[in-house]
Amino acid sequence: MAASKKPSKKAPHKHDEVVGPERMTGADAVVRSLEALGIDTVFGLPGGAVLPLYESLFAAEKLRHVLVRHEQGAGHAASGYAQASGKVGVCIATSGPGATNLVTPLADAYLDSVPVMAITGQVGSPLIGTDAFQEADIRGITMPITKHNVMVRSHEEIPAAIAEAHHIASTGRPGPVLVDIPKDVQNAEFDFTWPPARDLPGYKPNTKPHSRQIVQAAKMIAAAKRPVLYIGGGVVKAGAHEELLAFANETGVPVVTTLMALGVFPQSHPLYMGMPGMHGSVPAVGALQEADLLIAIGTRFDDRVTGDTSTFAPGAKTIHADIDPAEVGKIRAVDVPIVGDAKRVLEQLRDVFKDGKAHAPSISGWIDRLNELKEHFPRGYDPQSDGSLSPQFVIETLAAQVGTDAIYVAGVGQHQMWAAQFLNFEKPRTWLNSGGLGTMGYAIPAALGAKAAAPDKEVWAIDGDGCFQMTNQEITTAAIEGFPFKVALINNGNLGMVRQWQTLFYDGHYSHTKLGGETYVPDFVKLSEALGAESIRVTTEEEVIPAIQRAREINDRPVVVEFIVGEDAQVWPMISAGASNSDIQYALNIRPFFDLEESAGEAPEDIDDVVDVEAAEKSETEKCETEKGN
C-alpha cells in the first residue's frame, strides 16, 4: 500500500495563534482580540458605557492604555500612531458625547486614508432607541466618514467584529472603522476562542494590477516627451518608497509629491521637483502644467493640487493607478486606468523597463526645462518689513538643526505650509499632517501618537497659536504618560491663513482673526508650564538656535518653544482657490508663464518602436501564473 501523503503545513497567519475556548466577558474579549491582533497601545477616556471595558483594561498585560484629556485627542493620537507606524491606531470612547467627540478625527482619518479603529461604548441593548442618558446613534452619525462600522449585538460576535474591523481598516485603501458595543454585551460571559471566522464576502480589494494595463502604461511612458510622476499619499500607505525610487532611477522621469506624500521620495534627489498645489513649488506646478503625460499613483487629483480642473495639465494624457477603483477617473478622464496596490504597480512598471522590454523616454530637454524652473524659482522668503522674526527662518533653522531622521507633525494653516516648504524630507512616515479635512488642533495629539509609536524617534509638532489652543490639553497627557515630544509654536497672534486671505481678497478687513499677539494672551509659556511642559519664548533670530538646542536636550517631558513672529508673513508661492495652476504667483504680482515649451526629445513615429509589446505581455502573464501557483 502506498504511503499516504502528509498534509502540507501552511505557515500560520501572524494573528492566527489558537486561543480557547476560555470563559470571559465581552469586555475581556475586546482586550484579548486587540492583543491577538498585535495592538500594543490604545488611546481613550473612560465613561459609564465603557466601564466594563476599562475593568478589563485594568488587568491587561500586553496593552498600554494612554489616558487622553479629550476624546478628540484620542482619535488624533490614534491617527498619529497609525501614520508613524503603518499599523492600525486604536481609540476608545464612551457613548453619547464621548463617541461624538470622535467624529472629527474619524472624518480626518477617512479623508487621509488612515487606518484607525474606534471602539465606542453604547447604552444597554434594552435602552437603545429610547433617548436614554448619553445615547447617540454613533453608527449612523459616522457612516459617511468610516470605511466600515458595526454595532455588536451579541457577545459571541465580539472577536469576529474586532478582527473584521481591523482587517478592513488595514487592507485595500486604508481607513477608519468603528465598533459600537452596548454595555450589556460587554458584561455578558461566553467561551472565547481565537481566531474567529471572518465573514466578509463583499470585501475583496484588488491589489494586483492588470498586466495589459501595465504594458499600456509602459508604452505611453516610453513615448512621452514631458512625463511626470505625480505621487500621492497612497504610495506612503503602500510602503512603496523603494519601488518609486527604483522606477524613477530606471526611467529618469521627474517626480512631484503631494502634501500627503512628502518624504516618500528623497527631496535631495535630482529628479525631485517639489510639492505641487496651492502653495507648491513653481517647478512642481510647472511640471504638471507643461507635462504631456501624468503618471498619477496613489493620488486622487485633490482640488488643492489641480486648481481649476479644466485648465489642469491641459496637454497631458493620464495614467492613473490607485487601489481604490472609485478614485480612478473620478476627477479627471484617464487614458490608462490601473487598479492595484502602488507597490506592485511600480514594481511591475519598473520590470518592463529594467528587462529591456521598453526603453526609457528621451527627455533630457524636459529635465533641463524643469531644472531651469528650479534655478529661477528657488524656495525663499523676504524678511519681515517690521524687523520681526520670520516664521520661514524659524522652520528652515529647525530643519538644519534637527535633520531628516525626526518625525515632524504639523497643524493646519500657514505654519503647515511653511513646514511643508522649508523642512527637508528624505524618508517616508516622517511627515504627518491633516491634508484632506484640514483639521486645526491635529498636531499636538497626533505628535503624542507618533511618539508612542516611535519612542526612539525625535518628534516635533509644528503648530500655530490658533491650532494650539484647540488641543493643548494633550500636553498634560504627554507629560504624565511620558511622551517627551517637542513643539515649535509659531505665534503670530492671528488665525494666519485666514488673515492672509483677508489681506489678498477682502481689502484687509481682518474680521475676527486677531488672537492676542504681543499682549501674550494667553501666555503660552505659563500655559505650557502649567500643563507640565518645559517652555521657552523666542523673539529674535539670535535666540532661535539656542532655543532649539535646549529643547533637544530635554527628554524627560514635553517642550514648547514659542516663536513670536510677524503677523504679516505670508505663504508663497500661491494659487488662488479655483484659479488655474498656470496663474501661480511666486510672490505677489510675480508669476512664471507656462508656455508648454517643447523638450529636446522627439517622440518616435511608432509607439511600438520603444516597447516590445508581445514580450512584455508574455512576461507579465507568466508572472501572474507564477504568483497564482504560489
Side-chain angles (χ1 to χ4, degrees):
M1 180 183 292
S4 61
K5 291 184 178 179
K6 292 183 179 180
S8 61
K9 291 186 177 181
K10 185 180 178 181
H13 190 276
K14 65 178 180 179
H15 301 148
D16 285 351
E17 181 183 351
V18 177
V19 177
E22 185 177 341
R23 195 73 177 171
M24 63 179 65
T25 66
D28 291 335
V30 173
V31 172
R32 291 293 293 275
S33 298
L34 292 174
E35 290 177 338
L37 289 166
I39 303 298
D40 55 21
T41 306
V42 298
F43 306 88
L45 190 68
V50 284
L51 282 178
L53 178 53
Y54 273 81
E55 179 68 12
S56 298
L57 285 168
F58 184 76
E61 296 180 355
K62 301 177 183 178
L63 204 57
R64 178 179 183 179
H65 178 274
V66 177
L67 176 62
V68 298
R69 269 54 190 172
H70 192 287
E71 290 91 354
Q72 182 182 352
H76 290 316
S79 182
Y81 179 97
Q83 287 177 282
S85 67
K87 300 191 294 185
V88 175
V90 179
C91 55
I92 299 173
T94 191
S95 64
T100 58
N101 280 338
L102 292 177
V103 169
T104 295
L106 287 174
D108 186 272
Y110 185 73
L111 285 177
D112 286 345
S113 303
V114 181
V116 168
M117 183 192 300
I119 299 173
T120 53
Q122 185 56 272
V123 299
S125 298
L127 296 175
I128 293 174
T130 68
D131 295 331
F133 177 67
Q134 292 194 333
E135 180 189 0
D137 179 12
I138 194 60
R139 186 173 179 230
I141 291 168
T142 61
M143 194 168 289
I145 55 170
T146 51
K147 187 179 176 185
H148 162 83
N149 68 19
V150 63
M151 178 185 284
V152 182
R153 291 288 191 168
S154 169
H155 42 288
E156 289 94 346
E157 297 172 4
I158 286 176
I162 297 293
E164 289 168 1
H166 183 275
H167 177 70
I168 292 171
S170 57
T171 56
R173 178 181 182 174
V177 296
L178 182 139
V179 181
D180 195 34
I181 312 176
K183 190 172 183 179
D184 57 310
V185 174
Q186 297 173 50
N187 279 321
E189 291 191 353
F190 73 112
D191 291 325
F192 173 86
T193 60
W194 189 271
R198 288 199 304 243
D199 184 22
L200 297 169
Y203 181 70
K204 296 178 181 178
N206 179 30
T207 61
K208 186 168 67 174
H210 196 287
S211 60
R212 285 188 177 271
Q213 300 303 92
I214 292 291
V215 171
Q216 282 298 112
K219 288 168 61 176
M220 293 185 70
I221 294 167
K225 293 190 291 184
R226 300 184 303 275
V228 60
L229 277 157
Y230 165 29
I231 301 300
V235 179
V236 179
K237 305 295 190 303
H241 54 285
E242 292 180 353
E243 288 75 15
L244 172 61
L245 179 62
F247 177 71
N249 284 335
E250 189 70 39
T251 60
V253 175
V255 178
V256 302
T257 55
T258 67
L259 178 69
M260 296 305 298
L262 294 177
V264 78
F265 191 80
Q267 293 191 353
S268 59
H269 197 288
L271 288 174
Y272 185 67
M273 297 300 146
M275 177 184 78
M278 178 175 281
H279 294 293
S281 72
V282 173
V285 173
L288 295 176
Q289 287 303 95
E290 296 187 5
D292 67 355
L293 178 64
L294 301 182
I295 310 162
I297 302 179
T299 187
R300 57 189 179 88
F301 289 85
D302 180 76
D303 62 283
R304 279 301 194 259
V305 171
T306 66
D308 179 1
T309 54
S310 67
T311 62
F312 175 69
K317 293 185 177 181
T318 303
I319 297 164
H320 190 185
D322 201 284
I323 198 164
D324 184 354
E327 291 295 345
V328 179
K330 184 176 79 173
I331 304 297
R332 183 184 176 94
V334 177
D335 297 281
V336 179
I338 303 175
V339 177
D341 179 74
K343 191 180 185 78
R344 300 181 75 168
V345 170
L346 285 162
E347 188 176 56
Q348 291 184 23
L349 276 174
R350 185 218 179 184
D351 285 349
V352 174
F353 288 91
K354 184 180 178 182
D355 295 345
K357 301 179 183 68
H359 303 296
S362 177
I363 54 174
S364 60
W366 172 231
I367 299 298
D368 289 343
R369 164 63 174 161
L370 296 180
N371 284 335
E372 178 184 334
L373 288 177
K374 288 170 74 172
E375 181 181 350
H376 284 91
F377 299 99
R379 70 181 186 184
Y381 57 92
D382 292 325
Q384 294 296 286
S385 59
D386 61 1
S388 57
L389 187 59
S390 295
Q392 300 97 324
F393 173 81
V394 170
I395 295 172
E396 193 172 51
T397 305
L398 179 68
Q401 290 292 308
V402 176
T404 58
D405 286 331
I407 295 174
Y408 296 97
V409 187
V412 169
Q414 286 182 315
H415 60 279
Q416 175 192 26
M417 294 297 102
W418 287 320
Q421 291 174 341
F422 289 95
L423 293 174
N424 302 307
F425 301 103
E426 297 290 312
K427 303 172 185 177
R429 301 195 183 279
T430 56
W431 166 248
L432 316 182
N433 79 129
S434 171
L437 196 63
T439 306
M440 291 180 68
Y442 167 88
I444 299 302
L448 170 74
K451 190 64 176 176
D456 296 330
K457 286 268 192 179
E458 188 172 352
V459 176
W460 278 85
I462 299 172
D463 217 3
D465 49 324
C467 288
F468 187 76
Q469 292 183 72
M470 294 189 174
T471 53
N472 61 59
Q473 68 273 0
E474 302 311 335
I475 294 288
T476 297
T477 304
I480 292 175
E481 296 280 349
F483 297 114
F485 62 87
K486 330 291 183 186
V487 182
L489 177 56
I490 308 298
N491 182 4
N492 64 1
N494 286 265
L495 297 173
M497 188 61 83
V498 183
R499 179 186 173 90
Q500 177 167 336
W501 282 50
Q502 288 173 336
T503 299
L504 298 175
F505 309 119
Y506 293 89
D507 297 322
H509 297 158
Y510 301 119
S511 177
H512 304 286
T513 46
K514 193 168 185 65
L515 296 173
E518 68 281 354
T519 59
Y520 299 126
V521 178
D523 186 323
F524 287 112
V525 169
K526 291 180 180 178
L527 175 60
S528 300
E529 290 174 349
L531 293 171
E534 179 81 9
S535 192
I536 306 165
R537 177 173 289 138
V538 175
T539 60
T540 67
E541 287 190 359
E542 293 74 23
E543 297 171 331
V544 172
I545 291 178
I548 294 171
Q549 291 175 339
R550 172 61 182 147
R552 300 186 72 198
E553 292 169 356
I554 299 170
N555 290 302
D556 60 346
R557 59 196 179 283
V559 184
V560 177
V561 186
E562 179 193 19
F563 297 95
I564 307 295
V565 302
E567 65 180 3
D568 289 318
Q570 295 187 347
V571 184
W572 298 100
M574 181 176 179
I575 302 166
S576 301
S580 169
N581 275 9
S582 294
D583 292 327
I584 184 173
Q585 293 176 288
Y586 179 65
L588 196 59
N589 299 322
I590 302 174
R591 71 174 181 89
F593 175 65
F594 298 129
D595 58 0
L596 302 181
E597 179 180 321
E598 294 290 329
S599 66
E602 291 294 328
E605 291 293 326
D606 184 353
I607 195 168
D608 290 337
D609 290 345
V610 291
V611 179
D612 185 342
V613 179
E614 184 178 349
E617 289 183 349
K618 180 180 179 183
S619 174
E620 290 301 321
T621 302
E622 290 172 352
K623 285 181 183 177
C624 290
E625 293 298 323
T626 302
E627 288 178 1
K628 190 183 296 183
N630 291 337

